[in-house]
Amino acid sequence: MPETTRELLTLGGWKELEFGPFRENVTIHWIRPFEADQPGVALLRYEAGASVPRHRHQGLETILVLHGVQSDEAGDYGRGSYIVNAPGTEHSVWSDTGCVVLIQWDRPVKILDDD
């Protein structure tokens, strides 16, 4: 039996979930928050025009786009896209249209604009 279940995410089940603040115009629904050395798993909802500043991946990050289009310097990723960002890679993320993504981080990212 799964520890936590979120039903029918690919069919819009995320619309019924509670989201809280993450960054400006980006909200988060934690499926499994970071705990000790365990990865974090969450849904991120970007409003149209929202962005996350340039950041470095301190661990592996995987993303599944559930709705809309997420973009970074390498391209645009529509619904169903699966993105893998290796440890040590850097990018900015935005969504012109708004999007919802399922994301897993091995480690929290380091926002580079905070330096």
Side-chain angles (χ1 to χ4, degrees), residues 18-93:
E18 275 191 48
F19 285 75
F22 182 68
R23 297 200 67 82
E24 186 175 348
N25 296 319
V26 182
T27 53
I28 191 166
H29 172 84
W30 283 105
I31 294 172
R32 183 180 173 111
F34 290 106
E35 187 176 312
D37 263 355
Q38 298 302 305
V41 181
L43 296 168
L44 293 180
R45 182 174 56 197
Y46 291 69
E47 299 300 323
S51 64
V52 173
R54 190 162 191 81
H55 55 277
R56 179 178 305 119
H57 296 280
Q58 300 184 114
L60 182 69
E61 174 188 76
T62 59
I63 298 169
L64 176 63
V65 179
L66 299 175
H67 173 78
V69 178
Q70 185 184 67
S71 302
D72 68 10
E73 294 85 354
D76 301 316
Y77 312 99
R79 184 176 183 270
S81 296
Y82 181 69
I83 305 139
V84 177
N85 292 303
T89 59
E90 298 178 5
H91 67 154
S92 303
V93 178

